[in-house]
Amino acid sequence: MERWSGKVAIVTGASAGIDAAIVVQLAKNGVHVVALARREKELKELAESLNDKDYGTIYTKVCDVTNEQAVKDVFSWVDSTLGGASILINNAAVTKISSLLNGKLEDWQEILNLNVLALSVCSREAYKSMTKNKIDGHIIQINSISGHSLTPNFAHKMYNASKSAVTVLCDGLRHELQLTGSKIKVSSVSPGPTATDMLASILKYSKEVTTAADFKILDAEDVANAVITSLTTPPNVLIADMTIIPTGFTIQMHFQPSSQVVENILNA
């Protein structure tokens, strides 16, 4: 991580969960982090817990990354104040329990706007910042095993689709960068089930899997460590796609929701 010490990383969705853990790991390695999220209180608490240590500096920006102008403003500030971004970690994402059979358009739009379009806007602005400032940077998209196979969770398929789009967009971004001769790296990190609020919102609908004791899960720190592993590769090496799952787990989940769970969601 020595090559990134003193450099600037932008991290989206940084107020809690996986990206808060990523912020901690980056700061411990001397990276200055611009932490983006909508929840100002949690951002400030995270920064206060780290800025009194001998770590990289944490800058907080309240930002809704689905607002294109807000994203542009953040990158403009980073360019003018910090000399540009060397790392982008796209983690901000959402899921909704919303069936393809009776789901609400607004739920589907929220999933796609954040998980796909906002990710693409942030990636575009990172490319512009890195190119403008002559930085051979690294963009890391926090994907999911849902981006590589169809999971059996009922009413979870639009999230599946959004993460499948991330998989395509990662390789697509690498292709376009290659065609321009850019040395910017693009990596996808695809975790299995991880102890986050998002997972809790899914498990509460399953009669078969209700607690962490029933279900092998990763910690947010496990995903953060995978991000650090991607960043530690030398300039001539790229981990294009890293899938991490708990030991004893499989990429394809084998449980099925009960008929009662399906009925409850459809009748909600």
Side-chain angles (χ1 to χ4, degrees), residues 23-197:
V23 169
V24 172
Q25 288 300 318
L26 289 171
K28 283 183 177 180
N29 282 280
V31 180
H32 305 308
V33 182
V34 181
L36 310 184
R38 291 178 293 184
R39 296 185 292 182
E40 184 175 17
K41 178 175 179 289
E42 287 81 356
L43 276 178
K44 287 184 175 179
E45 288 175 352
L46 177 62
E48 288 170 359
S49 71
L50 296 172
N51 279 339
D52 61 349
K53 303 181 187 299
D54 189 22
Y55 294 164
T57 304
I58 309 299
Y59 303 92
T60 62
K61 291 287 183 181
V62 177
C63 179
D64 178 356
V65 292
T66 64
N67 181 327
E68 182 183 18
Q69 189 57 53
V71 172
K72 287 182 174 181
D73 290 345
V74 166
F75 276 90
S76 177
W77 178 85
V78 170
D79 283 345
S80 62
T81 307
L82 303 177
S86 294
I87 299 167
L88 169 66
I89 312 293
N90 262 320
N91 178 69
V94 68
T95 190
K96 295 280 185 177
I97 303 301
S98 184
S99 169
L100 299 180
L101 304 180
N102 70 339
K104 297 177 181 177
L105 176 61
E106 55 264 35
D107 288 340
W108 299 346
Q109 288 173 327
E110 184 176 353
I111 292 169
L112 296 175
N113 283 341
L114 182 55
N115 299 7
V116 179
L117 298 181
L119 173 141
S120 297
V121 168
C122 289
S123 300
R124 182 193 68 196
E125 296 305 309
Y127 163 73
K128 289 181 178 180
S129 175
M130 292 171 186
T131 303
K132 174 183 177 181
N133 294 287
K134 297 180 171 57
I135 297 170
D136 294 335
H138 200 149
I139 297 170
I140 298 181
Q141 320 289 32
I142 305 301
N143 199 341
S144 167
I145 58 171
S146 297
H148 302 275
S149 62
L150 195 64
T151 59
N153 308 73
F154 185 72
H156 194 61
K157 301 306 186 291
M158 193 59 72
Y159 177 80
N160 247 148
S162 73
K163 289 301 187 177
S164 295
V166 171
T167 299
V168 173
L169 291 169
C170 281
D171 213 33
L173 185 54
R174 283 190 287 267
H175 183 223
E176 293 194 358
L177 288 168
Q178 175 197 7
L179 293 175
T180 64
S182 174
K183 294 181 180 179
I184 296 170
K185 293 184 178 184
V186 180
S187 295
S188 167
V189 175
S190 299
T194 307
T196 62
D197 292 342

